Amino acid sequence: MLGGAGAVPCTTALSPVAFAAEGNAPETAEGDYNGDGVTDLIAGTPKASSSRGRVTVVPGGDEGPVGGARISLTQTSTGVPGVSESGDEWGAATAWGDLNGDGHADLVIGAPGEDDSSHKDRGAVTMLYGPTFRSGTDMQLSADFHYPGARFGSAVASGDFNADGKDDVFSVATGTGGSWAARLDPEHESGGSLTPGDTAIAFPDAASGDFNRDGYADVALTYRDQAGKGKLAWFRGGRSGLSRVGVLSVPGGRSVAVGDVNGNGYDDLVIGQPYTAESGAHAGGQVTVVPGTSTGPGSSGAKTVHQATSGVPGAAEAGDAMGWSVAAGDFNGDGYADVLTGAPNEDITRAEKNRKDAGTSLLLKGSASGLTGTGAKAFSQDEPGVPGSTETGDRLGSSVTLADLTGDGRADLAIGAEGEDAADGTILQLDSTGSTVPGSSGVYYGRTLLGTPAGAKLGQALTP
């Protein structure tokens, strides 16, 4: 499977351990596990319980995610494959996808620290079927891959790569030069190497969308290569599944999202580039949007926004890490996907005292000409009405989502602060109302409400 950089169709790339799927319906769901028409939230806490990991599913509702109806999952939960062990990091990467075509979104969960009987950090991917998440499938690397340190499941994504009406699974391993795998079903899989090197890549992130508008879901992957440089690869969907196209000339970063930022019907790539050394980013980090076209994403027409861009609040300062996290969605209903990005290392001064790495998030607007700084807005815990207060080490913006969590047709904001309260962490959710996002709409989802363990870094990973 991993002998070359292109796609290698195979039937043994991953070893699935199957459990009974739940239900059978023709409609697919996008991030809606309970079928109520509202997008639901996934909070991955891979550092929970000595890095055993945990996933918390919070259903969306008319007034935002319903914390009291949360579902908490670990590898000790009924029907979940595998054994919960220290260091598994279950929940390090998550995705929604309707894998069995029953109309309920299913969970895809990466556990890059999973060991087998003789190989440390081999990694694994768990797939759990909605709406109950009590059955599923466990994906493992095949025998032709170097198991020790593979860290399979470091990044995951889901989309209908072959347009058969059921979503498929994409996953990345970082060890031995990096590799990718795509699973259509237990008999149809593909995969390959990411680089020709033998040493590990780092910081992968993946997202799925239709970049060339051919009806097949594609995948974008960003990672840091062995030389410490950000790379951005894309994979094209087709009748036989997913195949690797190549690496774009636009540098990669630490995060990637998908949305139609310029409203032309093609999904665009949103790349978070927080560091100059990795991505050639402006001091303090930046976000770059690569437009989709009939031939796929290309560097022509790419637009970049940073804190020195006109209209963007704050000052561009080295180390802010703008672009650490990114998400795309239409918060104001104008037909253009907007971008929410985290800058978790932003220092904030209040009452003449500097709060180092307090963090902030920036909401950037989409337009017919692409991403713009005009009308941008910043959100920190010092903003009026935003729950909580800014503190050193909060790292607000460690994760972000921009999705319709209330069912009103507009994307709402959810922002993680993994360092809140001595690394207990929290999630702040802000509703979109018309063309604004009032801070007074904010809801604080901490460990008390969501039941996560102390020191779990709630807010480290959010989906969608």
Side-chain angles (χ1 to χ4, degrees), residues 366-447:
S367 71
S369 59
L371 193 66
T372 177
T374 302
K377 189 170 184 179
F379 296 93
S380 76
Q381 287 181 293
D382 276 357
E383 299 296 325
V386 176
S389 60
T390 294
E391 300 166 322
T392 295
D394 279 350
R395 285 183 52 79
L396 183 89
S398 52
S399 62
V400 294
T401 69
L402 196 52
D404 184 7
L405 304 173
T406 57
D408 65 358
R410 293 184 297 269
D412 307 299
L413 286 65
I415 305 169
E418 64 180 6
E420 176 92 350
D421 293 340
D424 286 350
T426 193
I427 302 165
L428 305 179
Q429 190 262 322
L430 303 172
D431 292 342
S432 300
T433 57
S435 60
T436 64
V437 182
S440 58
S441 70
V443 179
Y444 186 99
Y445 295 83
R447 64 175 294 245

Side-chain angles (χ1 to χ4, degrees), residues 223-322:
Y223 60 91
R224 192 181 72 183
D225 70 7
Q226 296 92 335
K229 299 299 181 183
K231 300 295 182 182
L232 178 61
W234 82 283
F235 303 76
R236 181 187 290 118
R239 182 177 299 179
S240 60
L242 205 64
S243 60
R244 183 176 183 269
V245 179
V247 175
L248 299 175
S249 60
V250 175
R254 294 289 181 97
S255 58
V256 62
V258 172
D260 187 4
V261 177
N262 58 8
N264 68 351
Y266 293 91
D267 283 335
D268 308 313
L269 307 186
V270 181
I271 315 301
Q273 300 163 319
Y275 298 118
T276 303
E278 292 178 4
S279 308
H282 194 279
Q286 63 187 31
V287 173
T288 296
V289 175
V290 179
T293 71
S294 60
T295 58
S299 58
S300 178
K303 296 198 70 172
T304 295
V305 173
H306 41 69
Q307 283 186 288
T309 300
S310 178
V312 178
E317 299 168 321
D320 285 349
M322 175 184 172

Side-chain angles (χ1 to χ4, degrees), residues 1 37 69 94 97 132 142 171 259 271 284-285 293 296 328 330 338 345 369 374 378 394 398:
M1 159 179 132
T94 58
T132 66
S142 66
S171 183
I271 315 301
T293 71
D330 185 2
D338 309 299
N345 293 348
S369 59
T374 302
D394 279 350
S398 52

